[in-house]
Amino acid sequence: MQHALRPRIALRPAPAGPTGPGPRPRPRVRSLIDADALRVLHRAARVLLGDLPDLTDRLVAALQELEPAYRVAVESEPAATWQEVHRSLRHSVNSLLDPRGNRDAARRCSWKIGATRAEQGLPLDALLHAFRLGGSLVWQGLVEETSRSAPEDVRLLVHVAADVWNFVDEHCTLVADAYRQVERQLAWRRENRLRLLAAALLEGTSRIADLPEAAEALDLPEQGRYLVVAVSGGSPAEAAGARASVGRGARVHWHTGVEVDYGIVLLGDGQDETAIDGGPPTGARVGVGTAVPGLAAVGDARRLADTALRMCPGTGGTIRLTEHLPTALVISSPDLATALADRVFGPLRTLEPADAAVLLDTLATWLACDGSAQRAGERLYCHRNTVLNRLRRYEQLTGRCLSRPTDVVEITLALAARPTL
């Protein structure tokens, strides 16, 4: 950092004496001017330092009049704002008198002001405007004092004007650096806090006392109807497209996970799960849970969305849990689903895998066609009698009867669990 004032006369060596014949060198007129300019500057700066409270009042009044953002700060915390302005001006004027001795203290003061105002949310433009107003007021004070006490010396201040304004610009840069560093830290903290609050909601570990903070941070009402959408798989573009489709026309907060992204969706009046669109079929898998009341129940909604996601085929697509509740009941308990499948399909293990697959596909198609062998045959590209023969073979191998309602229920549930096992 350059000093507020550079003692130019000290940096220039005295002219050497004559070493031989020839004209004598001209006197260093510039050095004399610099020395006189510093003398005039120091004299005026000492007066400003003695009148510092009045100078502070003038700057605070200028901030109130010319900078709306600072006007709020002055009105809300008048004493603290006055002390901040007073310290900054004191370090600035002292730097005119002793640049080296006041360098570090002036830098620390400016850095602290930049950091503090960033934490308080004062706009950076307003802060820089305040520093430049302060520089203008100090320069104006120097000129006024010199004009009053020694008008013939005002012209000498021109030779130190660049140093004064270099000091102001340098500290504006310092303030901006401090402001932006703190701003980045605050943004990271806000983002991290937001992520922690959303994660706690989705995990169902939020405390009741944290719900108001979570609602404010996520910009979602604490009371309302919510569901969670789980998005996984596909290319980044396909996953982004699915998220965009879900968020179309709805208020959604997305929480990015390692393998699954979760959207906390606020449902509007009259909306239900059918209002959520996962977009056109792509490689992305989208699981839409069922609605729950309030943010406190978002953890339950996330578990329901996970259940729907498990039902999505590997090739992608959207599954709404409300449209697959029997399957959801089965896969929600993997152990029971495995036991049911073993009970219903266990005897088919004696067959070749291809034969067993044919029987199961026929059984599933027949149930999807409401027990119509004719329509099942059309879907399977075979005669209706072939369908009936395969169904009878299944009954013979398992001992089950497709005309018995309880057997049909168990077979239906076992088939629903089959893709997930």
Side-chain angles (χ1 to χ4, degrees), residues 201 204-206 208 211 222-223 226 292-300 303:
L201 286 175
T205 58
S206 288
I208 297 299
L211 290 178
E222 187 175 347
Q223 303 300 327
Y226 289 95
V292 296
L295 282 179
V298 164
D300 296 331
R303 286 185 284 273

Side-chain angles (χ1 to χ4, degrees), residues 15-38:
T19 58
R24 294 172 61 86
R26 293 182 180 180
R28 300 299 297 273
V29 177
R30 180 65 180 172
S31 296
L32 294 176
I33 293 176
D34 289 346
D36 289 341
L38 286 174

